[in-house]
Amino acid sequence: MSQIEERFRKLCVMGLGYIGLPTASLLASKGFDVHGVDVNAQVVDTINQGRIHIREPELDILVKSAVQSGQLKAGTSPAAADVFIIAVPTPFKDGYEPDLAYVESATRAIASFLVSGNLVILESTSPVGTTELIAQWLSEERPDLSLKGTTSNGADTSVHIAHCPERVLPGQIIRELVDNDRIVGGIDEASTELAADFYRQFVAGQILTTNSRTAEMAKLTENTFRDVNIALANELSLICEQLSIDVWELIKLANHHPRVNILNPGPGVGGHCIAVDPWFIVHTAPQQSKLIRTARQVNTDKPEYVIEKVRARAARIQNPTIACFGLAYKPDIDDLRESPALHITQQLSEAGIGRILAVEPYIDTLPKVLANTSVELCDQETALAQADIILGLVSHRQFRKLSPAMLQEKIVIDSCGVWR
Ligand code: SAJ
């Protein structure tokens, strides 16, 4: 990795959430001058005090030292920079229509700060065509700027625009920001080259170049691949139940084939990415996306299947106590965003089928959605002592250590193979 080149020294990072804040603080720690921007003034204040508003291993230390060293400053509006990184949310609206409002407002907000030679990078996972839309929005705001790779006297005088999708896994974001290979796709070759040079300043992985549309589709394809593969595992779990076959043993055996690698069934697919991104493809090419849409549906239906299973078992017990093991959206993290485990626990409580205990070693208090329910947060030992039904929802390391003897007297419903 090279020293920071002067042409990339000043950065403006739009959005200080799960991607923007780790990126801003990591780059600040590498010596870039980083101005981070968030629309939420409270978030900005927290960061300027050297504290963080999200949980991610190592992030607190990184932000604290980046702020103390003066390399990272946060504000509610953008500032002039060499490189502008857009890392704002791209959710969907009703009908799974992608919502680009945050990308559009971040783009329009930076427009007045742009000068020739600047680089604008979209990192947010986005539907195909979004990077081109950024060029369109910028040219509406700044008709004076050249946005195509034009050169004057051999020097490139245009503003460059590229997509470089984030690919980091929550829980190991800081390491993956450096180690992962990156795909970089510009709206023209000059933009691609400049963006690739920028990522070479701090990425240890390979920099793979393409155009912006392919880069956008590549990110969507990665998460869709995972969604479809998990849907296969989830569908197999239903088929196996019907045929009295142990799905975990089945998948383990099948995966011994050198060209088979089936993922794990679970209570559903959570988080902010895998359950969202496939819809971006379905929305843009609905006629061609039959498999992707069906896979999404299989995964969306899985929590209801788990709930029904618990209902059926609980109906045979008087005043049953049901212990839900795990609320997080996946193992060994405290992130409850779009968590199927949380949804299932909430639904079981609302269904009034018994006393509901929740065991989640990564939180101290129940999240808002459970605050006004009768769900009780308790430790593993209390749950094991009091519950009739033990429902495995998240394969946390701590749960995996439970010995079969401790579960012997219980009705165990293991939706994620935690006790396999
Ligand atoms: N899950 C299963 N079975 C499995 C694997 C996962 O049910 O075998 C479930 C998890 O429990 C969870 C959901 O899928 O509910 C998603 O978890 P995940 O670990 O597959 O992915 P995310 O959402 O945490 O992060 C993904 C990553 N994408 C890929 O691995 C292709 C990450 O690299 C992306 O950067 C991230 O999405 C993103 O931001 O798009």
Side-chain angles (χ1 to χ4, degrees):
M1 246 174 297
S2 48
Q3 291 283 311
I4 298 172
E5 293 175 38
E6 279 312 309
R7 60 186 172 137
F8 298 125
R9 182 159 297 278
K10 282 182 79 173
L11 311 180
C12 178
V13 178
M14 301 297 290
L16 295 173
Y18 277 85
I19 301 302
L21 185 56
T23 304
S25 53
L26 177 87
L27 292 177
S29 78
K30 302 252 177 218
F32 291 89
D33 296 332
V34 186
H35 177 74
V37 180
D38 204 282
V39 288
N40 186 331
Q42 225 177 330
V43 166
V44 166
D45 285 347
T46 306
I47 294 166
N48 281 334
Q49 288 162 19
R51 297 186 295 115
I52 57 176
H53 61 295
I54 51 177
R55 295 230 214 149
E56 174 64 28
E58 298 170 48
L59 184 62
D60 50 348
I61 303 165
L62 204 59
V63 169
K64 195 173 174 194
S65 73
V67 170
Q68 274 175 356
S69 68
Q71 293 300 116
L72 172 63
K73 293 189 181 79
T76 50
S77 45
D82 303 308
V83 183
F84 294 80
I85 299 175
I86 300 175
V88 295
T90 44
F92 52 63
K93 308 183 217 176
D94 289 348
Y96 302 112
E97 187 193 339
D99 183 355
L100 297 179
Y102 299 110
V103 177
E104 181 172 353
S105 72
T107 303
R108 293 194 191 275
I110 61 172
S112 63
F113 295 90
L114 292 175
V115 295
S116 288
N118 277 174
L119 171 63
V120 177
I121 297 170
L122 173 68
E123 282 219 5
S124 316
T125 305
S126 302
V128 172
T130 308
T131 314
E132 292 164 338
L133 268 177
I134 287 181
Q136 190 187 308
W137 292 325
L138 286 179
S139 61
E140 284 166 18
E141 296 289 329
R142 291 287 305 275
D144 57 309
L145 283 178
S146 160
L147 298 176
K148 280 280 169 188
T150 50
T151 54
S152 150
N153 301 330
D156 199 334
T157 57
S158 57
V159 166
H160 302 82
I161 306 170
H163 182 49
C164 179
E166 60 84 10
R167 302 164 107 184
V168 287
L169 197 70
Q172 46 196 64
I173 292 180
I174 306 299
R175 183 173 62 71
E176 291 204 359
L177 274 176
V178 174
D179 289 350
N180 286 2
D181 295 345
R182 298 297 295 253
I183 298 173
V184 175
I187 55 164
D188 51 33
E189 271 183 33
S191 297
T192 306
E193 273 170 37
L194 189 65
D197 283 348
F198 170 65
Y199 283 97
R200 284 192 193 103
Q201 308 286 303
F202 62 95
V203 170
Q206 279 186 62
I207 308 294
L208 310 159
T209 56
T210 179
N211 57 46
S212 63
R213 296 175 73 83
T214 310
E216 288 157 347
M217 189 62 183
K219 169 59 196 265
L220 301 179
T221 301
E222 289 160 15
N223 280 355
T224 299
F225 163 80
R226 206 155 162 83
D227 198 42
V228 172
N229 194 328
I230 298 168
L232 172 64
N234 278 336
E235 187 158 291
L236 284 171
S237 75
L238 310 190
I239 296 167
C240 284
E241 175 106 4
Q242 183 73 18
L243 303 180
S244 303
I245 291 170
D246 179 337
V247 68
W248 309 100
E249 185 192 359
L250 172 86
I251 291 176
K252 199 171 161 198
L253 292 173
N255 282 351
H256 270 273
H257 187 287
R259 285 173 295 282
V260 173
N261 186 14
I262 304 167
L263 289 170
N264 298 311
V269 169
H272 245 46
C273 311
I274 297 201
V276 174
D277 300 353
W279 288 119
F280 290 178
I281 300 181
V282 174
H283 188 264
T284 356
Q287 296 305 322
Q288 292 75 21
S289 311
K290 296 190 187 78
L291 172 68
I292 296 171
R293 185 202 308 268
T294 304
R296 202 69 297 284
Q297 202 57 56
V298 169
N299 288 335
T300 307
D301 291 346
K302 193 70 197 289
E304 197 47 45
Y305 175 82
V306 176
I307 292 166
E308 277 314 310
K309 216 166 149 180
V310 177
R311 259 183 207 274
R313 299 305 294 266
R316 291 183 231 151
I317 306 169
Q318 253 199 348
N319 303 324
T321 296
I322 302 154
C324 299
F325 273 64
L327 293 175
Y329 90 83
K330 66 177 188 176
D332 303 321
I333 58 169
D334 62 2
D335 194 336
L336 307 189
R337 291 178 301 164
E338 320 295 332
S339 167
L342 182 60
H343 172 76
I344 289 168
T345 306
Q346 185 191 3
Q347 292 297 307
L348 288 174
S349 153
E350 283 172 11
I353 55 174
R355 182 177 169 220
I356 308 292
L357 307 177
V359 185
E360 179 44 79
Y362 287 91
I363 60 170
D364 304 322
T365 46
L366 282 175
K368 255 194 211 144
V369 286
L370 296 184
N372 294 324
T373 65
S374 56
V375 175
E376 301 162 46
L377 186 66
C378 68
D379 60 26
Q380 184 171 289
E381 288 67 36
T382 312
L384 285 171
Q386 299 185 5
D388 305 294
I389 297 177
I390 302 284
L391 173 61
L393 291 173
V394 186
S395 193
H396 285 317
R397 200 170 296 124
Q398 177 179 326
F399 300 162
R400 293 200 293 271
K401 286 188 195 147
L402 283 181
S403 70
M406 295 170 95
L407 299 169
Q408 221 169 23
E409 306 288 299
K410 309 290 178 187
I411 296 167
V412 177
I413 301 175
D414 184 357
S415 74
C416 56
V418 52
W419 294 301
R420 289 292 312 173

